[in-house]
Amino acid sequence: MCRWMAWMGQSILIDELLFKTQHGIVDQSLHSRMGAEPTNGDGFGLGWYGAGEGPGVYHSVAPAWGDENLRELAAHAESPLFLAHVRAAIGSPIQATNCHPFRRDRWLFVHNGFIADFHLLRRDLMLAVDPTQFAEVVGSTDSEVVFHLALTVGLESDPIGALERTVGLIESVAREHGVTAPVQATFGVSDGECLWAVRYATEGPARSLFASADVETLKRLHPDNPRVQRFTDGDRVIVSEPFADLPGAWQEIPEATAVCVRRGGELEERPFEPRVEAPALKA
Amino acid sequence: MCRWMAWMGQSILIDELLFKTQHGIVDQSLHSRMGAEPTNGDGFGLGWYGAGEGPGVYHSVAPAWGDENLRELAAHAESPLFLAHVRAAIGSPIQATNCHPFRRDRWLFVHNGFIADFHLLRRDLMLAVDPTQFAEVVGSTDSEVVFHLALTVGLESDPIGALERTVGLIESVAREHGVTAPVQATFGVSDGECLWAVRYATEGPARSLFASADVETLKRLHPDNPRVQRFTDGDRVIVSEPFADLPGAWQEIPEATAVCVRRGGELEERPFEPRVEAPALKA
Amino acid sequence: MCRWMAWMGQSILIDELLFKTQHGIVDQSLHSRMGAEPTNGDGFGLGWYGAGEGPGVYHSVAPAWGDENLRELAAHAESPLFLAHVRAAIGSPIQATNCHPFRRDRWLFVHNGFIADFHLLRRDLMLAVDPTQFAEVVGSTDSEVVFHLALTVGLESDPIGALERTVGLIESVAREHGVTAPVQATFGVSDGECLWAVRYATEGPARSLFASADVETLKRLHPDNPRVQRFTDGDRVIVSEPFADLPGAWQEIPEATAVCVRRGGELEERPFEPRVEAPALKA
Amino acid sequence: MCRWMAWMGQSILIDELLFKTQHGIVDQSLHSRMGAEPTNGDGFGLGWYGAGEGPGVYHSVAPAWGDENLRELAAHAESPLFLAHVRAAIGSPIQATNCHPFRRDRWLFVHNGFIADFHLLRRDLMLAVDPTQFAEVVGSTDSEVVFHLALTVGLESDPIGALERTVGLIESVAREHGVTAPVQATFGVSDGECLWAVRYATEGPARSLFASADVETLKRLHPDNPRVQRFTDGDRVIVSEPFADLPGAWQEIPEATAVCVRRGGELEERPFEPRVEAPALKA
């Protein structure tokens, strides 16, 4: 359920990756191969940095494959950093406020996966959201609450640490409610400067997640692919599942791992270790 | 912001009142005369009792005046009891989960008005909702929270009493937050057997609300109106603002008043007296 | 591309067949097994005879599987005769006016298949539509033009004959434009009294089409299926692909065949023989 | 019915004019003052030149005032030339293919007004469209047919002349059908280099149309308006009705007049004289 992708690098027309790749995210809305469901037709979202103040967000409840406005927007907006997400709803309503990316100020957030038995945990988790931000939660997804929890425990100063504390908090609340294996997730986060991604599940295999190889490797592997040859140092793609036309160009992000991509394309990897912190629990 | 109507009486095609009256609710979506705004184009809702289990609910984010599906549904569904609502959003998203009527089991609820500074009160009010029902609040309106508060404090056994306790609770929470004049409301409630309506504002004039005169009076007033001549004893309409083609046929429901319409069309009126009860506050 | 079903028999709640069967039409919107595409998420339509004047029509551009209004309507509308259709768009816009069933007066029409190279033929075919009805063609599908051609050449007095003349006309126009194998179709038609269905392709296998066995056979085959046991003489279902929970209960409608179901459930079968008639060509 | 605006000048964020002006086009969707209807809530369209190939087009069936995606797009897209349009449907369906601007290649077209008794004329007018382009007419508005007629008779080489021939053709066809006063129109056209506008009605006052004064005048009139002070030579706005915060800054475009704005902001005015040309009629 759900697939996402993120681009960081040179400024490109967004449709270059959304529509013009083989098995890009829009194709995955109709024919996902590695996701929990082949069809991700319950909404689309794009968050992009570019002209104007902060990131723009486009949310649609129409399936991505048939959304003409998305096609137009993608073909006429350039961006050096964007995140796109296709949704397969599992119970929660199909509405724009349930579409990713979620945004506050300069921050964008996407999630593939779920909080198990979320209806049992929702009240306690929403109580842990900063009370002054409570009214900002306007949809009904688990993902939006995860984002606001992460903001509450410091996403803006320490993204990965805040997600570790958030997941720790969720696992702790879940334990109290007798919910096992509560967190299944890949996360994508950006502030317009860096791009962070996480792959983690409390139990069992986490949803798939891949990063593109460094640009030199890509070019060597695909000397005849004009799109790849236009890549420059510092271009990096993170995807739920690889584009089909670039075999060998992807490195799987291991389980329980966080990565950070900075300007220049450097990819840092570190373990993702959820933990419960006293202050977080009190919040 | 918002207009609503309710019908209780003989089983009729719904469009008889939605589309075929002069200045019916659909016309009010485009040209409200007595509402806070002339345009109520931010969504429509219809709840109707008839075939099938419990009431059906149709919610649309399209303006009522141009919604072909609504026109079709209304022209092909018969019902002895229905509520319809047109919405003018004031800040909260235009989405189906924010459209009235709200429903639980056999119960329907509509609201015209607002909770002032709802963003300040939302957390405390949601905490007062029965924790086992917390996850059922899936939209972001004040009205949905009001409905769930009323359910928490006994709507299903004592509708008007529960609304009095709910309004009392809201006024009490508002006082703690320094919010004055928090409640502006007309409410409509039904369980399929009876129809309850409330007109109340903490301060100042409440939103307009009218009940149709008894059928004998209607027929005497409008001997040439074929629609009226088809009315039978027991038919009753409650409206935010009167249909234009029935002058003299409406009695204004006074401020701070609740009415109850039972099968047979009898209209009982009583004062609406918000109050804070200890158990309600604990809930 | 596209799947449809039709019910004729006792009056039932529509969701009994749309949602409560295994692999019913709504499930086929997400997981078609015998269609040209597994996903039919580009719009839904329902036409039903029941309360009110003529058939009601519900058209939605949202995928059927996630459409709450459809779920509500189907659960609260009873009908002795209805047609439902899920759409996989092939080029033409996703909009309500492109959703089936198409309607004129008491007549409903659905189509699964396509007119090959329709953009080459559209002008000539629209010129063959009765000029006084030209402005009624408001969408951009081949199917809507087929319906208006059939109306032009006598659908209302001789449905199968009119469809034979329509297909003959299309094949003739196609020949002039050098288009081979122009017609791929199953059609469903009703006037509220009878139900007609056609399976035909100019070349190659036509889209799949099945009729339910007579009720006695159904009951003998499925003694433990409570839905089947509620069937009465005269109940008949026509489907693009069978419901999964009724093995052995379906008879395939042969290629180049038309069937007619009348009140009582009797199924008449005859060859479908497209032909060009001078008057039709002149029209 | 309908309002539109066009910007040509320095590259600006689109929301600067759509949302940040007083009584801009989005406000006119809810509160038009000079239009035939106060509410223009039946769809929105934006066509903008900027990044990517040719103009982008955003069409929405939601009312402009509540469309979050429009707000986002406008706040994050820069353009030196764009046209925006709000629609009040008069009979034709509310669907994206009926939203303006219409586009072919680099050309955009908007229309405020109507072809009287269009249902009587539609067939003859569509027959006059270049047969090879017939299948490109995918909506059901008069405006789309006008655009394709204009393309047929030379819009791309002589925009005003082609519109004169188009209007002449329509008036001629209308006469044959006994339709008087067939054309009520303001038109806006662009190829990304120039901006053309027309104000014309066969009879009676044409819809309102205004051009902004030259930038020097604007600055002198509004020394304290920071938006105006940011204007540079060559900035020009064409609007159905003036923004409210710039009194004295607008010149009404006379009836039966065409204007052309070129890079640099120069505004040329000429009479608009519909005429019938033999070749056009044959087409």
Side-chain angles (χ1 to χ4, degrees), chain C residues 40-264:
Chain C
N40 293 276
D42 299 327
F44 174 87
L46 170 71
W48 77 103
Y49 299 87
E53 183 71 16
V57 172
Y58 175 85
H59 285 159
S60 170
V61 294
W65 67 77
D67 185 332
E68 288 299 319
N69 283 331
L70 170 60
R71 201 171 283 269
E72 291 289 322
L73 172 58
H76 295 92
E78 284 178 336
S79 172
L81 204 173
F82 60 89
L83 295 99
H85 184 277
V86 292
R87 184 168 178 246
I90 39 172
S92 57
I94 299 168
Q95 56 189 24
T97 53
N98 284 351
C99 290
H100 309 222
F102 299 98
R103 174 181 61 188
R104 188 195 289 170
D105 303 332
R106 292 196 61 77
W107 290 81
L108 294 176
F109 175 79
V110 294
H111 173 208
N112 164 215
F114 57 83
I115 309 304
D117 291 317
F118 179 61
H119 64 286
L120 296 179
L121 313 182
R122 189 181 179 217
R123 187 176 189 271
D124 282 0
L125 295 179
M126 281 189 70
L127 289 193
V129 169
D130 176 351
T132 69
Q133 306 293 339
F134 185 94
E136 284 191 14
V137 180
V138 292
S140 58
T141 59
D142 47 6
S143 307
E144 189 187 15
V145 175
V146 171
F147 178 47
H148 283 273
L149 286 172
L151 285 163
T152 298
V153 300
L155 186 79
E156 290 151 307
S157 55
D158 172 17
I160 299 304
L163 286 169
E164 288 173 328
R165 288 187 290 276
T166 297
V167 169
L169 170 66
I170 296 168
E171 291 178 337
S172 162
V173 167
R175 223 165 7 244
E176 290 166 29
H177 287 268
V179 173
T180 53
V183 178
Q184 171 55 265
T186 68
F187 299 125
V189 180
S190 184
D191 62 352
E193 297 302 318
C194 297
L195 174 65
W196 295 268
V198 168
R199 184 179 180 209
Y200 176 82
T202 312
E203 272 181 27
R207 294 284 180 267
S208 59
L209 195 66
F210 298 83
S212 60
D214 64 276
V215 170
E216 294 229 349
T217 307
L218 277 172
K219 288 188 172 175
R220 208 168 47 239
L221 277 167
H222 299 281
D224 301 328
N225 183 317
R227 190 178 315 110
V228 168
Q229 294 306 314
R230 283 199 299 276
F231 277 14
T232 54
D233 279 357
D235 290 348
R236 191 72 78 165
V237 195
I238 308 278
V239 292
S240 289
E241 51 192 270
F243 305 151
D245 54 352
L246 296 176
W250 303 93
Q251 49 186 103
E252 188 169 12
I253 295 174
E255 305 255 344
T257 300
V259 301
C260 170
V261 186
R262 297 184 193 283
R263 287 276 155 227

Side-chain angles (χ1 to χ4, degrees), chain A residues 93-276:
Chain A
I94 298 168
Q95 56 189 23
T97 53
N98 284 352
C99 290
H100 308 221
F102 299 98
R103 174 181 62 187
R104 188 194 289 170
D105 303 332
R106 293 195 61 77
W107 291 80
L108 294 175
F109 176 78
V110 293
H111 173 208
N112 164 214
F114 57 83
I115 308 304
D117 291 318
F118 179 60
H119 63 286
L120 296 179
L121 313 184
R122 190 181 179 217
R123 185 176 190 269
D124 282 0
L125 294 179
M126 281 189 69
L127 290 193
V129 168
D130 177 351
T132 69
Q133 306 293 339
F134 185 94
E136 284 191 14
V137 181
V138 293
S140 59
T141 58
D142 46 7
S143 307
E144 189 187 15
V145 175
V146 171
F147 178 46
H148 283 273
L149 286 172
L151 285 163
T152 298
V153 299
L155 185 80
E156 289 150 307
S157 56
D158 173 17
I160 299 304
L163 286 169
E164 288 172 328
R165 288 188 290 275
T166 297
V167 170
L169 170 66
I170 295 167
E171 291 179 336
S172 162
V173 167
R175 223 166 6 244
E176 290 167 28
H177 286 268
V179 175
T180 53
V183 178
Q184 171 56 264
T186 67
F187 299 123
V189 180
S190 184
D191 63 352
E193 297 301 320
C194 297
L195 175 64
W196 295 269
V198 169
R199 184 179 181 210
Y200 176 80
T202 312
E203 272 182 26
R207 294 283 179 268
S208 58
L209 195 65
F210 298 83
S212 60
D214 64 277
V215 170
E216 295 231 345
T217 307
L218 277 172
K219 288 188 170 174
R220 207 168 47 239
L221 278 167
H222 300 280
D224 301 328
N225 183 318
R227 189 178 315 112
V228 167
Q229 294 306 315
R230 284 200 299 276
F231 277 13
T232 54
D233 280 356
D235 291 348
R236 190 73 77 164
V237 195
I238 309 277
V239 291
S240 290
E241 50 192 271
F243 304 152
D245 55 351
L246 295 175
W250 303 93
Q251 50 185 103
E252 188 170 12
I253 294 174
E255 305 254 344
T257 299
V259 302
C260 170
V261 185
R262 297 184 194 284
R263 286 277 155 226
E266 192 195 351
L267 186 86
E268 291 172 17
E269 204 174 290
R270 51 169 271 199
F272 182 81
E273 298 171 332
R275 61 181 171 280
V276 181

